[in-house]
Amino acid sequence: MQIAIDNEIFRQAQTEANRKGENLVTLIERFLLRFIGSGKAAEEQPVPDVVQSLIGAGASIDLEDLNAREAYNQHLIEKHK
């Protein structure tokens, strides 16, 4: 089976995939799996590094001061002593 794609769109996508070290066909397959709602895509797709780097990042958040106003006010008090 073949799919017709605009040459310029394909060229730009291929360039971007290469720049990111990705395989364009694999990216398209992942998109299609998500599009059709297959659970297979989530199982096969590794968690991106940027997401893994955020795991646990919220552990130090004070749940009583979610918008950090108190922390910022304390910072200002310390700064202007």
Side-chain angles (χ1 to χ4, degrees), residues 30 34 40-48:
R30 285 184 197 159
R34 285 184 182 164
K40 184 178 178 183
E43 293 170 13
E44 291 183 358
Q45 182 176 348
V47 176

Side-chain angles (χ1 to χ4, degrees), residues 10-60:
F10 177 81
R11 187 190 64 73
Q12 289 177 8
Q14 185 68 50
T15 299
E16 188 65 16
N18 289 340
R19 187 181 72 77
K20 293 181 178 183
E22 297 279 351
N23 180 304
L24 184 58
V25 172
T26 302
L27 291 173
I28 293 169
E29 286 175 347
R30 285 184 197 159
F31 170 79
L32 292 174
L33 285 170
R34 285 184 182 164
F35 181 73
I36 62 174
S38 171
K40 184 178 178 183
E43 293 170 13
E44 291 183 358
Q45 182 176 348
V47 176
D49 291 339
V50 69
V51 174
Q52 285 190 0
S53 72
L54 295 174
I55 293 174
S60 63

Side-chain angles (χ1 to χ4, degrees), residues 73-81:
N73 287 338
Q74 187 61 39
H75 163 74
L76 290 177
I77 289 169
E78 295 295 319
K79 180 180 176 181
H80 295 288
K81 276 187 175 180

